Amino acid sequence: MHKKEQVTVKTISLKEPILGENIELANRNRQFFESHKICVLNIISSPGSGKTTLLVETLNALKQTLCCAVIEGDQQTDNDARRIAATDVPVVQINTGGTCHLDAGMIGRAMENLPLDGIDVLFIENVGNLICPAEFDLGENAKVVLMSITEGEEKPIKYPLIFHLAKTLVLTKMDLMPHLRFDLDLCIRNFRQINTAAEILTTSAFTHEGLQQWLDWIFRQRKLAAGS
Amino acid sequence: MHKKEQVTVKTISLKEPILGENIELANRNRQFFESHKICVLNIISSPGSGKTTLLVETLNALKQTLCCAVIEGDQQTDNDARRIAATDVPVVQINTGGTCHLDAGMIGRAMENLPLDGIDVLFIENVGNLICPAEFDLGENAKVVLMSITEGEEKPIKYPLIFHLAKTLVLTKMDLMPHLRFDLDLCIRNFRQINTAAEILTTSAFTHEGLQQWLDWIFRQRKLAAGS
């Protein structure tokens, strides 16, 4: 009774009109960000990969040097925004309700509620979802994909779009390595099948392993965005 | 410079026609499953929560007693179907491409490629995503939501729809508890805000903690579906 078949399901996309409008709004955001020399990082991962935890550590480390702001995307709750607000960095929470991603229009409206003059780096924490947020340009300088090493080595090949589009892969929860059967080399090989250019950073928000490399990466993106 | 504002973003849903068609197809699947007395479990979680690992252990434990089959949903790759096939249980892989969930039509087509006569339990492993799969009825008897304890306590309130709809919550990777700052009581309290009726199972596919309770739950669902 052993049987395995491939069923390739083709679906007709109803998303083109939505994505087309999104590109226009994303370009509008991008023009604003460029004219204000704001570096915008769109952070995407599965639920529970540690986006907010890394962001809190990042803001605490950066806030004496760079002027930062945060847009938090969640289906429900403002838990994450409250954690960010505790760092004294300005933050706006977007609750998307049933929607599984942030889009450029939501970002445009959130920007009206943020003091963006003088901001060096705007972090956008997307809704926890490895799939849908990848398709929506927000006008950012770079997409950052986070992946906790508890999620297994094959995620880059199972969810290829976001891993392909990311400018850096941040592996999180490295402190758990001794307790997992996680093959880091295999994970990196899988990622390299999808993305040959992105940087790969190994981090732990608890031990601060790799935090300086992550901060250095942000500073480089900031310099690129500022044209300096 | 401390600021926090709520921006509630209202979006016009373009999904109603798609969901309406899905309900029709789901009812067609359900009629088939009912007439064949097949118990169908739709397993939903974030990427990397351990769906396939739990399923492999489950099939190895059940296959002498119950006749099982599996439909595997992934954006890309047939890695999971190959892991299931190694248990000698019949499996069909659906690759959804860019689509972030399984829908009832995909299940209907996959069923044509599965030997469903005499099957007691059909497991459907949905695409790794806590959001979109919740909206799509597949004709199943029950939705099962898995959550790894590495994902943090607040997931039930941040992604309420799937936690609300689930007939059981299976917490996975309990073997990692000594290495995490995870508050199980808080997680359960959060879940109970969203769902007062579902069972809560704590499991580890590695140590087999809670595996028997999970198998017992499956047997009860099977009895309900068989009307015995």
Side-chain angles (χ1 to χ4, degrees), chain A residues 2 74 80 88 150 158 173, chain B residues 2 80 88 150 158 173:
Chain A
H2 186 134
D74 281 297
D80 290 351
D88 283 334
T150 63
K158 288 178 69 177
K173 307 192 189 180
Chain B
H2 187 133
D80 290 351
D88 283 335
T150 63
K158 289 179 68 177
K173 307 194 191 182

Side-chain angles (χ1 to χ4, degrees), chain B residues 2-228:
Chain B
H2 187 133
K3 181 166 181 177
K4 181 171 72 78
E5 300 222 15
Q6 289 284 328
V7 179
T8 304
V9 178
K10 299 210 183 300
T11 52
I12 297 159
S13 179
L14 299 173
K15 289 184 295 194
E16 272 69 19
I18 303 171
L19 288 174
E21 189 194 351
N22 188 72
I23 289 169
E24 273 188 44
L25 295 171
N27 286 336
R28 206 176 299 171
N29 294 347
R30 186 174 287 106
Q31 283 165 10
F32 178 90
F33 296 140
E34 283 179 3
S35 66
H36 288 69
K37 295 187 186 296
I38 301 173
C39 174
V40 182
L41 302 177
N42 179 6
I43 303 176
I44 297 174
S45 81
S46 301
S49 298
K51 292 185 293 303
T52 315
T53 303
L54 182 67
L55 205 44
V56 166
E57 299 300 322
T58 303
L59 295 170
N60 281 329
L62 286 178
K63 66 187 179 186
Q64 306 304 327
T65 322
L66 291 177
C67 201
C68 299
V70 176
I71 295 176
E72 276 293 330
D74 281 297
Q75 278 207 290
Q76 298 288 345
T77 78
D78 65 348
N79 294 7
D80 290 351
R82 282 187 279 119
R83 290 169 63 190
I84 298 296
T87 69
D88 283 335
V89 166
V91 56
V92 167
Q93 175 82 50
I94 299 176
N95 281 141
T96 62
T99 303
C100 51
H101 58 270
L102 294 176
D103 65 33
M106 297 178 194
I107 298 301
R109 292 191 288 281
M111 284 157 62
E112 295 168 10
N113 292 283
L114 262 180
L116 287 172
D117 270 347
I119 292 291
D120 299 309
V121 183
L122 171 62
F123 295 93
I124 301 175
E125 183 180 338
N126 221 306
V127 178
N129 183 338
L130 267 184
I131 305 178
C132 316
E135 297 192 58
F136 288 82
D137 182 7
L138 305 179
E140 71 271 3
N141 293 79
K143 287 181 172 63
V144 175
V145 64
L146 258 68
M147 193 196 114
S148 151
I149 61 168
T150 63
E151 295 171 36
E153 301 87 355
E154 80 287 8
K155 292 297 162 295
I157 49 176
K158 289 179 68 177
Y159 304 90
L161 182 61
I162 182 55
F163 287 94
H164 175 70
L165 296 174
K167 196 164 178 185
T168 187
L169 164 63
V170 181
L171 291 167
T172 61
K173 307 194 191 182
M174 288 296 288
D175 54 293
L176 291 175
M177 186 65 99
H179 315 296
L180 303 175
R181 308 180 201 181
F182 179 78
D183 183 337
L184 180 60
D185 291 338
L186 174 60
C187 181
I188 290 173
R189 282 200 305 279
N190 287 338
F191 179 65
R192 285 299 180 215
Q193 288 185 36
I194 306 298
N195 189 323
T196 54
E199 291 192 47
I200 300 172
L201 302 170
T202 52
T203 68
S204 163
F206 287 157
T207 66
H208 283 194
E209 172 186 343
L211 188 65
Q212 190 57 52
Q213 286 79 1
W214 161 239
L215 299 174
D216 291 344
W217 184 86
I218 295 169
F219 275 106
R220 288 200 297 280
Q221 305 312 308
R222 156 71 185 142
K223 275 193 180 175
L224 285 172
S228 59

Side-chain angles (χ1 to χ4, degrees), chain A residues 206-220:
Chain A
F206 287 158
T207 67
H208 283 193
E209 172 185 343
L211 188 65
Q212 190 56 52
Q213 286 79 2
W214 161 238
L215 299 175
D216 291 344
W217 184 86
I218 295 170
F219 275 107
R220 288 200 297 282

Side-chain angles (χ1 to χ4, degrees), chain A residues 44-47 51 100-101 126-134 162, chain B residues 47 100 128-132 159:
Chain A
I44 297 174
S45 82
S46 301
K51 292 185 292 303
C100 50
H101 59 269
N126 221 306
V127 179
N129 183 339
L130 268 183
I131 304 178
C132 316
I162 182 55
Chain B
C100 51
N129 183 338
L130 267 184
I131 305 178
C132 316
Y159 304 90

